[in-house]
Amino acid sequence: MTNRVRKAIFPVGGMGTRFLPATKAMPKEMLPVVDRPLIQYAVDEARAAGIEQFIFVTGRGKSAIEDHFDRSIELEALLAAKGKSAELDDIHESLLQPGNIAYVRQQEPLGLGHAVWCARHLVGDEPFAVLLADDLIQAETPCLRQMVDVFDAAGGNVIAAMEVPDEHTSRYGIIDSGGADGRVRPVTGLVEKPAQGSAPSNLAVIGRYILTPEVFTELERRETGAGGEIQLTDAMAKLIGRQPFHGLAFEGRRFDCGDKLGFLEANVAFALERDDLGPGTREMLARIGDLSE
Ligand code: G1P
């Protein structure tokens, strides 16, 4: 068994009901932050962490994602004919090596754990990453790279963690780290979407995971949890004590792009970081500020 993280799963089967009507005929993962679809950020982050094989767990109505990572011969010819080399380079850079991208369908929306389980044969018996494209992370060192570094040093399972306010703990998987703090914390318990007031801490799981293949054995049981869904958090919780489990309080800013305000904020934050758009965005924000006074 290899001990390198070479494969990543991208669960992209979700319906995106929170962004209707925009997501009626378009996958939510194709919503652009500035000029790149959300899924492109997740794939680029995985590439920067050394991932070589990209496994998408899709569903009906998601074919735009497949097209996005495919060649577009007509478009490329058009850009070349018009001398638009910057755009052409950008499109070429977003392509993955032939054969390094695979799609498997989750036939029914039975939960995140079930989506991950659908990729079990493509992952096989080796550690793997899971990235949720809704969680967009702006960081100097990409979040998954930070996690792979922890994995290479410590092994086991690594999940991304972030402190959230009391009133938000019921939206997340919550980590019990036995009160430890610091960048890398031991995970001694995990609970998916605890009822208000019952969370073991304020440390939330963010959508980046490095997991050992044993989690598939737990997912195989198809036990349901919060919301009647097969939860990845519950399957991970079963591995605690049997394998090393680390929560990484990663460096960077996370935007919840499954939420309208989080998505808007991400657009502004990523535009501000860009040389071509930063100054214009700053002026625009000042103008809007004037209007709202
Ligand atoms: C999923 C996970 C949850 C995690 C969250 C991070 O929940 O089940 O444990 O905290 O992603 O974004 P979802 O947002 O799909 O409800």
Side-chain angles (χ1 to χ4, degrees):
M1 181 180 119
T2 171
N3 221 20
R4 227 159 50 73
V5 188
R6 304 184 305 169
K7 301 185 180 182
I9 301 176
F10 301 84
V12 292
M15 295 284 277
T17 49
R18 285 197 281 174
F19 269 94
L20 284 169
T23 50
K24 188 178 168 208
M26 182 179 83
K28 64 173 176 166
E29 296 79 10
M30 290 301 293
L31 289 170
V33 168
V34 186
D35 53 8
R36 315 173 80 70
L38 273 172
I39 189 65
Q40 179 81 59
Y41 288 93
V43 164
D44 288 348
E45 183 181 328
R47 280 210 280 204
I51 297 295
E52 294 161 6
Q53 294 183 34
F54 303 78
I55 303 162
F56 286 70
V57 183
T58 69
R60 288 177 291 283
K62 297 282 182 166
S63 53
I65 297 176
E66 293 182 40
D67 292 339
H68 181 74
F69 291 104
D70 198 358
R71 297 284 303 269
S72 176
I73 307 295
E74 298 82 354
L75 178 63
E76 290 169 37
L78 185 83
L79 293 174
K82 289 194 181 280
K84 297 200 173 225
S85 54
E87 287 83 352
L88 195 57
D89 288 350
D90 203 18
I91 286 201
H92 281 152
E93 266 169 35
S94 65
L95 285 174
L96 299 168
Q97 289 298 311
N100 281 3
I101 183 159
Y103 299 90
V104 62
R105 275 203 182 189
Q106 182 188 26
Q107 294 155 322
E108 293 171 80
L110 299 178
L112 177 61
H114 180 258
V116 168
W117 179 77
C118 286
R120 66 200 178 284
H121 297 307
L122 294 171
V123 170
D125 192 23
E126 58 182 273
F128 63 97
V130 179
L131 293 96
L132 308 186
D134 277 1
D135 283 325
L136 180 56
I137 300 170
Q138 193 176 43
E140 215 159 285
T141 304
C143 180
L144 192 67
R145 174 81 257 167
Q146 298 176 40
M147 294 169 68
V148 167
D149 290 344
V150 172
F151 174 84
D152 287 344
N157 302 269
V158 184
I159 48 183
M162 186 182 95
E163 300 279 350
V164 298
D166 285 345
E167 61 276 21
H168 290 174
T169 50
S170 60
R171 299 182 190 173
Y172 295 94
I174 298 292
I175 299 171
D176 190 346
S177 62
D181 55 16
R183 217 168 84 76
V184 183
R185 307 179 197 187
V187 176
T188 58
L190 277 169
V191 41
E192 180 67 13
K193 303 198 171 74
Q196 202 71 58
S198 72
S201 79
N202 287 53
L203 197 59
V205 177
I206 297 305
R208 299 288 183 279
Y209 311 78
I210 294 175
L211 300 172
T212 61
E214 283 75 17
V215 77
F216 291 126
T217 313
E218 297 306 329
L219 289 169
E220 188 84 38
R221 301 183 211 283
R222 298 174 66 101
E223 285 167 17
T224 53
E229 296 187 346
I230 301 172
Q231 296 290 355
L232 183 59
T233 305
D234 297 342
M236 294 191 304
K238 300 257 176 57
L239 300 180
I240 297 170
R242 285 158 45 190
Q243 302 183 342
F245 225 111
H246 318 279
L248 173 68
F250 59 89
E251 282 158 20
R253 283 173 71 192
R254 172 261 188 179
F255 302 94
D256 178 4
C257 290
D259 171 80
K260 286 172 195 159
L261 277 177
F263 177 72
L264 282 175
E265 192 180 348
N267 270 282
V268 173
F270 275 78
L272 282 171
E273 284 263 294
R274 293 228 329 215
D275 292 341
D276 57 341
L277 295 170
T281 307
R282 237 165 247 114
E283 281 169 32
M284 176 193 75
L285 290 172
R287 267 198 312 276
I288 293 178
D290 289 344
L291 288 177
S292 64
E293 270 164 21

